[in-house]
Amino acid sequence: MSLASPFSHGGAPRIALVGNPNCGKTALFNALTGSRQKVANYAGVTVERKEGSFTTPGGHRVQVLDLPGTYSLRARSPDEEVTRDVVLGRFRGEAEPDLLVCVADATNLRLVLRLVLELKMVGRPLLLALNMFDIAKHRGIEIDVDRLSAELGVPVVPTVAVRRAGTVDLLKRIDAAAEGLEVVAPGTGNTWHEPSAEEVRATHREAERIIKLAVRPPTRPDTWTTRLDTVLLNPVAGLLILLTILFFMFQAVFTWAQPVMDGIKAGFDGLSAWINGTLPDGLLRSLITDGVIAGVGSVVVFLPQIVILFTFIILLEDFGYMPRAAFLMDKIMGGAGLHGRAFIPLLSSFACAIPGIMATRVIDNRRDRLATIMVAPLMTCSARIPVYTLIISAFVPDRTVGGAFSLQGLVMFGLYAAGILSALLVAFVMRRLVWRGTVEPFLMELPAYKVPDAKNLVMGVWTRAKAFLQRAGTTILSIMILIWFLSSFPGAPEGATDPAIDYSIAGMVGHWLQPLVAPIGFNWQMTVALIPGMAAREVAVAALGTVYAVGGGEENVSALMDTLGHSWSLATALSFLAWYVFAPQCASTLGVVRRETNSLKWPIIMFVYMTTLAYLASLATYHIAASLGWA
Amino acid sequence: MQQVIVGLVVVAALAWVLRPSVMRIVRRRRVAAGKAPGPCGSDNCNCGG
Ligand SMILES: Nc1nc2c(ncn2[C@@H]2O[C@H](COP(=O)(O)OP(=O)(O)OP(=O)(O)O)[C@@H](O)[C@H]2O)c(=O)[nH]1
Ligand SMILES: [Mg+2]
């Protein structure tokens, strides 16, 4: 391979995006390839190697790798190891990338110059992209691009990853490089090694020298961030604001969604009424109304709540609030034995425990990381929303308390709080029993606040909503068809007096397993719902919809709430809620824990401890409620 | 007629639900036969590291 042209081998050249955390690598990756990887305003969003490809304006097919952010190739945490391995060509037998594009936050060059100096030692063709050039300009930071390039010995191009035309110069360079022109620093031999303390200091001095020569400090520094932070990071006011935001979020999830949910429900009810009118009574009609509409429909009605929750989460992430919240919670989390860096993974688990568990890769200490993984599923994920909402709507009166708060919203907030508190408690106990030792101190970069990007918000919410509907239309749909089949066959024998469903396979399995869950107040229909509910929590709601529809002949989606309201006691309903706060009802989560810990031991421990907690919590809830006369 | 349609739908649903497990078994067979690389970290893994 010729050293002058990085792209002279046969296949599509591979470009790796390397840089400090939160400098816009993923935004650049999305801009180049048109993908929709997650972009957010905090460090540690990307924790995996992501691959994409595109054709340059000059017609060259190029592969791009997006990587986790890092300050150095001396990797500390699992996500940084991914970056190091890809850059050094050690990743799963992959060859080194053909071109390293070091992405820099132009408003904060000090740290990235050290990384550039380190990357030069790797000896691969290298290019520096000065990203966020718009913000740098806006603040009046003057960067002498030619001087910077000359001092570093690396070509430099300004980019603005979030603007349409922001990558034109970069694309031109890539095209020129593909044509064999010397527009990137040429490859040399790899001389990278773990730097000694003396070498680290030398790199530091060199970076300082170059900064002095090429960068003039801002004339209009970002005063907004400092001003906002005096309030938002205040130990008292800040915590109050954080609590208020969370409280408002859960109230909104409940109250704002209601009108839209009613609309969707009415739509499904109309649909089944129409089918009842057109199709003759029979198997096919039962399959469509009891199996598909009553089952899948009862999950799809929760789409508005999912949308509202994700809107809040994405806005907070894009604004740059998440690391502040982590900072505020550091004391409390530290008291429970959780690392400060555990906050963002735990908060991501409000959406889904799977990305939450993946996000723990930013935690370098293995014990801290395991403790976070083990409690992440206790955070209330969005799949629990349908379960919680269904029970709350059926059993908690729709009243306002204290003038403005919806009582149902308050109960929802309480369930979220129960999840958070139990996560803290379990972490506390685990740190006492298993992993004794102090929690390592925590340094986290606080990014400048940014006005959330409307396109990013719409795209993010759309992606989540689509995934939710897709799951409803594939997995949940097929499981519901099977549940319908199992609860319809075999039919009742001649002269039977009990409801036909009691003679079906599902009925028999439910009745047979029911003694196991009788102490916690569950009936056989709930038992039937819990089994497919292992696939994903919201499937349990769909299964209840189908089982009650087949059993009771009520095909309406909205009928499920009424049915539960008069066929379950309050004690049973509360016990079911308690079960769902703790139960490990999600096979995919256990699978991810297995992959991330690389052992079967941890998912098994997780399953056992969570099931035990769930059973005990339900048992206590049921008996306390029963003794209050709510059975 | 109705029974045939319903039967087909149920079989299709069953196939969809079982698909991932079947794929996994097929894959494991292929790995065992040396025709495909195994998951990272396993004995059949093709990792460089
Ligand atoms: N104004 C402006 N904002 C940008 C630019 N590039 C990225 N951003 C924003 O900067 C934040 C971080 O972007 P990401 O692409 O997630 O950063 P990253 O380098 O992938 O971060 P990690 O994956 O955590 O290492 C997001 O809020 C982006 O919207 C840019 O050129 N200009
Ligand atoms: Mg990223």
Side-chain angles (χ1 to χ4, degrees):
Chain A
M1 193 203 306
S2 136
L3 289 178
S5 166
F7 297 167
S8 44
H9 67 88
R14 291 189 320 141
I15 301 178
L17 303 176
V18 198
N20 293 161
N22 207 38
C23 65
K25 297 173 296 299
T26 305
L28 195 59
F29 177 83
N30 288 349
L32 291 173
T33 61
S35 16
R36 292 198 202 129
Q37 295 300 332
K38 179 168 172 180
V39 168
N41 191 10
Y42 61 86
V45 180
T46 310
V47 292
E48 289 177 287
R49 163 191 172 285
K50 297 275 174 159
E51 204 178 291
S53 64
F54 68 99
T55 309
T56 61
H60 299 278
R61 190 94 195 136
V62 176
Q63 258 200 336
V64 202
L65 304 177
D66 182 23
L67 297 172
T70 184
Y71 291 106
S72 158
L73 292 180
R74 285 169 299 146
R76 295 260 156 90
S77 48
D79 60 328
E80 293 172 352
E81 282 165 14
V82 171
T83 303
R84 178 198 63 200
D85 291 350
V86 169
V87 167
L88 296 177
R90 296 181 194 159
F91 191 82
R92 301 196 185 161
E94 258 179 33
E96 299 103 325
D98 297 301
L99 170 65
L100 299 176
V101 173
C102 181
V103 184
D105 173 352
T107 63
N108 189 5
L109 281 177
R110 189 157 275 116
L111 290 170
V112 78
L113 289 193
R114 292 188 227 162
L115 180 64
V116 174
L117 294 171
E118 219 182 308
L119 286 173
K120 270 180 73 176
M121 294 207 282
V122 174
R124 302 304 301 165
L126 181 64
L127 182 65
L128 178 62
L130 280 187
N131 195 37
M132 309 218 188
F133 210 69
D134 54 332
I135 306 181
K137 253 198 201 146
H138 180 77
R139 291 199 201 144
I141 302 175
E142 253 176 60
I143 303 175
D144 183 342
V145 172
D146 295 331
R147 187 73 197 257
L148 183 64
S149 166
E151 291 295 332
L152 282 172
V154 175
V156 178
V157 270
T159 59
V160 182
V162 292
R163 286 239 197 95
R164 197 169 272 260
T167 54
V168 173
D169 289 346
L170 178 64
L171 286 168
K172 276 192 194 140
R173 290 278 174 153
I174 294 174
D175 259 335
E179 264 132 45
L181 303 174
E182 251 187 77
V183 289
V184 299
T188 51
N190 182 357
T191 56
W192 186 84
H193 53 270
E194 288 265 336
S196 66
E198 180 44 43
E199 284 169 314
V200 171
R201 277 195 292 276
T203 318
H204 182 71
R205 279 195 300 273
E206 174 70 356
E208 290 299 320
R209 186 185 69 81
I210 298 176
I211 293 259
K212 277 221 184 74
L213 289 174
V215 183
R216 261 233 311 266
T219 49
R220 290 180 297 278
D222 173 23
T223 53
W224 263 111
T225 296
T226 3
R227 268 189 277 173
L228 268 177
D229 272 349
T230 49
V231 186
L232 292 183
L233 290 184
N234 180 293
V236 182
L239 262 181
L240 275 179
I241 294 175
L242 173 62
L243 265 181
T244 314
I245 293 176
L246 289 181
F247 184 76
F248 183 69
M249 181 162 122
F250 299 130
Q251 283 271 318
V253 164
F254 222 93
T255 47
W256 297 357
Q258 210 57 50
V260 192
M261 284 179 67
D262 290 341
I264 301 180
K265 246 186 268 174
F268 277 114
D269 289 349
L271 187 64
S272 50
W274 179 76
I275 286 172
N276 278 337
T278 14
L279 280 183
D281 195 8
L283 269 187
L284 191 58
R285 185 170 105 183
S286 169
L287 170 66
I288 296 176
T289 53
D290 298 340
V292 177
I293 300 181
V296 177
S298 54
V299 169
V300 172
V301 292
F302 296 103
L303 180 67
Q305 297 194 314
I306 307 282
V307 167
I308 292 174
L309 180 76
F310 279 107
T311 306
F312 271 97
I313 292 183
I314 294 173
L315 281 178
L316 288 175
E317 283 180 350
D318 234 14
F319 183 52
Y321 186 69
M322 293 307 190
R324 268 90 186 174
F327 177 85
L328 287 169
M329 294 296 291
D330 190 35
K331 267 253 158 59
I332 300 172
M333 308 232 315
L338 282 170
H339 192 266
R341 273 193 195 278
F343 181 79
I344 290 179
L346 291 181
L347 204 70
S348 311
S349 304
F350 276 144
C352 172
I354 293 169
I357 288 166
M358 301 278 296
T360 62
R361 288 188 182 185
V362 300
I363 303 173
D364 45 10
N365 180 300
R366 185 169 159 84
R367 284 187 301 183
D368 291 338
R369 182 162 177 242
L370 272 175
T372 314
I373 291 179
M374 293 307 277
V375 300
L378 289 171
M379 306 302 282
T380 303
C381 67
S382 57
R384 283 178 177 99
I385 288 182
V387 182
Y388 287 177
T389 313
L390 175 71
I391 305 296
I392 291 175
S393 312
F395 289 92
V396 178
D398 186 8
R399 268 210 318 252
T400 46
V401 286
F405 305 117
S406 118
L407 181 61
Q408 297 183 328
L410 276 177
V411 175
M412 191 75 159
F413 182 71
L415 287 168
Y416 273 89
I420 298 169
L421 286 180
S422 55
L424 291 176
L425 264 175
V426 170
F428 182 79
V429 172
M430 272 195 300
R431 289 306 295 227
R432 282 295 139 96
L433 293 183
V434 200
W435 299 302
R436 261 169 271 168
T438 48
V439 178
E440 300 195 359
F442 146 68
L443 283 172
M444 186 169 208
E445 321 69 39
L446 295 179
Y449 291 107
K450 288 202 177 80
V451 180
D453 181 39
K455 197 177 121 218
N456 187 37
L457 174 68
V458 173
M459 278 304 167
V461 171
W462 167 239
T463 317
R464 267 35 165 260
K466 209 172 64 179
F468 177 78
L469 290 179
Q470 239 162 26
R471 206 168 52 228
T474 53
T475 317
I476 298 184
L477 174 67
S478 34
I479 294 181
M480 280 324 111
I481 294 175
L482 295 181
I483 297 268
W484 169 84
F485 178 78
L486 294 177
S487 13
S488 306
F489 293 95
E494 296 256 340
T497 46
D498 290 335
I501 193 169
D502 282 3
Y503 300 95
S504 69
I505 304 175
M508 285 189 291
V509 172
H511 284 297
W512 183 65
L513 287 178
Q514 204 254 344
L516 271 181
V517 289
I520 58 177
F522 286 13
N523 57 30
W524 73 262
Q525 287 95 335
M526 293 157 85
T527 322
V528 171
L530 286 184
I531 302 169
M534 268 309 293
R537 290 180 173 87
E538 68 267 43
V539 175
V541 167
L544 283 174
T546 297
V547 170
Y548 275 108
V550 174
E554 288 173 287
E555 291 91 359
N556 286 351
V557 168
S558 41
L560 181 59
M561 278 173 202
D562 303 334
T563 312
L564 296 189
H566 59 246
S567 66
W568 290 11
S569 70
L570 182 58
T572 293
L574 292 176
S575 166
F576 194 63
L577 284 180
W579 175 268
Y580 265 94
V581 171
F582 298 104
Q585 289 265 332
C586 177
S588 326
T589 300
L590 295 169
V592 166
V593 172
R594 184 184 154 179
R595 201 182 72 201
E596 291 294 304
T597 59
N598 213 353
S599 79
L600 257 182
K601 180 173 138 198
W602 295 109
I604 290 175
I605 293 178
M606 176 180 275
F607 184 81
V608 171
Y609 104 77
M610 287 181 74
T611 309
T612 313
L613 268 185
Y615 201 89
L616 292 178
S618 292
L619 191 70
T621 310
Y622 183 68
H623 285 279
I624 292 171
S627 69
L628 291 172
W630 294 343
Chain B
M1 184 58 202
Q2 268 204 26
Q3 268 154 351
V4 176
I5 299 178
V6 169
L8 282 179
V9 171
V10 170
V11 170
L14 188 65
W16 181 272
V17 171
L18 292 182
R19 204 183 47 131
S21 324
V22 173
M23 301 279 272
R24 216 170 300 135
I25 293 169
V26 169
R27 193 167 165 75
R28 214 169 285 155
R29 284 261 167 89
R30 283 176 55 94
V31 171
K35 283 186 194 148
C40 208
S42 75
D43 290 345
N44 303 309
C45 160
N46 279 351
C47 285

